[in-house]
Amino acid sequence: MNFVSYNIQYGFGLDGRYDLARIARSLEGADVIALQEVTRGFSRNGFADMVAGIAALFPDHFWVFGPACDIHIDGGKGGLQPVRGTRFQFGNMVMSRWPILSTRTLLLPRSRTIAKINLQRGATEALIAIPGGAIRVYSVHLDHVSADERIRQLQFLNGQVNAFVQEGGSLTGGGELDLPELPLPDDYMIMGDFNMERESPEYCALAGAGGGYYGRVARIGTPMDAFAALNAYTPDSYSWMDPDDHGKRMHLDYCFVSCGLESRLKSARIDTQSLGSDHFPLWVEIED
């Protein structure tokens, strides 16, 4: 099964062109897709409904959208104006070949800024009925400015991920309303744009500190970096490129998995040939 994460930068590629079809082509063959920087009502892409546009390009996939940020807009600069009632929404999507049984958008901690934009960020949780059982997939987008804020966000997120079985996700006791009882899988994948580099303080806040004689030891409750588990990193590994300076590159996107999925990991790669965003699709394959 192929899982892929892609920050699609409001639909704009490295060439500055808005092209959802190009993004969709780079995701062909994916079974489960986690997207970040998906918008509705954004003046910079003509107030496009990216959710509807993307869903139309994947007619065989189920989908959910988690708008972490949702605000009223009066209009854009220039002549183009939105339809009355249009709202600016910013968030994450998850798409799947198999039914998405439930979803929640977990609002990540944030602090009030003065001069630098700080949108509400979220982690969109999707409970997916993959063959042989169910799995949780989280499409995540962390703050891009403050390492301290990212650490707080990751600590909160890890707490929510680990509390899932005890809390029961988005619904428990559904029989009272003739709704099904949802499965409570231990296994999960956390995919997205973390805006952090490997071995940074925030990376260690989620994956645990390395070093010492034993390095990182797999522990229940501590997510594992799928690329590290597969020795898939290269010395020049990157998942983001500055559109104005292609020599400026960073590894900002990751897939973390529960310990129970370690033995099922098969491969991991980053498709740096895709031009649909300033980020690149991150692929992880697991055995079904």
Side-chain angles (χ1 to χ4, degrees), residues 50-246:
M50 292 182 67
V51 178
I54 292 168
L57 292 167
F58 291 88
D60 295 329
H61 283 64
F62 300 87
W63 62 269
V64 294
F65 174 56
C69 177
D70 184 326
I71 63 174
H72 169 74
I73 54 173
D74 289 321
K77 297 179 180 179
L80 184 64
Q81 296 294 315
V83 175
R84 180 176 176 82
T86 299
R87 302 183 66 80
F88 169 67
Q89 295 182 329
F90 172 93
N92 314 314
M93 283 185 77
V94 176
M95 296 187 291
S96 168
R97 294 191 188 279
W98 305 289
I100 300 175
L101 303 178
S102 72
T103 184
R104 297 184 298 175
T105 293
L106 307 175
L107 300 182
L108 303 178
R110 60 183 295 275
S111 55
R112 180 181 175 184
T113 54
I114 304 301
K116 191 71 175 176
I117 190 169
N118 189 5
L119 301 96
Q120 174 66 59
R121 306 299 178 105
T124 301
E125 173 189 275
L127 177 63
I128 302 175
I130 65 173
I135 192 173
R136 290 177 277 148
V137 173
Y138 296 83
S139 182
V140 178
H141 191 193
L142 302 187
D143 177 71
H144 67 296
V145 175
S146 169
D148 291 338
E149 186 140 299
R150 289 193 291 274
I151 289 173
R152 290 192 294 270
Q153 290 174 340
L154 287 169
Q155 289 172 337
F156 171 83
L157 176 60
N158 197 33
Q160 290 294 111
V161 169
N162 281 304
F164 176 86
V165 174
Q166 180 180 0
E167 292 182 353
S170 62
L171 174 73
T172 56
E176 183 178 357
L177 297 178
D178 298 322
L179 296 171
E181 287 297 327
L182 299 172
L184 299 173
D186 290 314
D187 286 327
Y188 57 80
M189 302 180 76
I190 309 171
M191 309 183 76
D193 175 8
F194 289 77
N195 277 310
M196 66 186 184
E197 295 185 88
R198 282 190 70 201
E199 303 304 333
S200 62
E202 52 267 47
Y203 178 97
C204 294
L206 182 64
Y213 185 81
Y214 294 104
R216 282 190 174 86
V217 177
R219 296 181 185 277
I220 300 298
T222 300
M224 302 179 62
D225 182 343
F227 271 63
L230 289 164
N231 295 312
Y233 285 111
T234 62
D236 61 347
S237 178
Y238 63 94
S239 68
W240 170 85
M241 178 185 292
D242 189 330
D244 300 319
D245 179 2
H246 289 191

Side-chain angles (χ1 to χ4, degrees), residues 237-258:
S237 178
Y238 63 94
S239 68
W240 170 85
M241 178 185 292
D242 189 330
D244 300 319
D245 179 2
H246 289 191
K248 186 176 181 181
R249 304 169 177 182
M250 301 174 72
H251 193 106
L252 302 177
D253 302 80
Y254 298 86
C255 173
F256 292 92
V257 302
S258 56

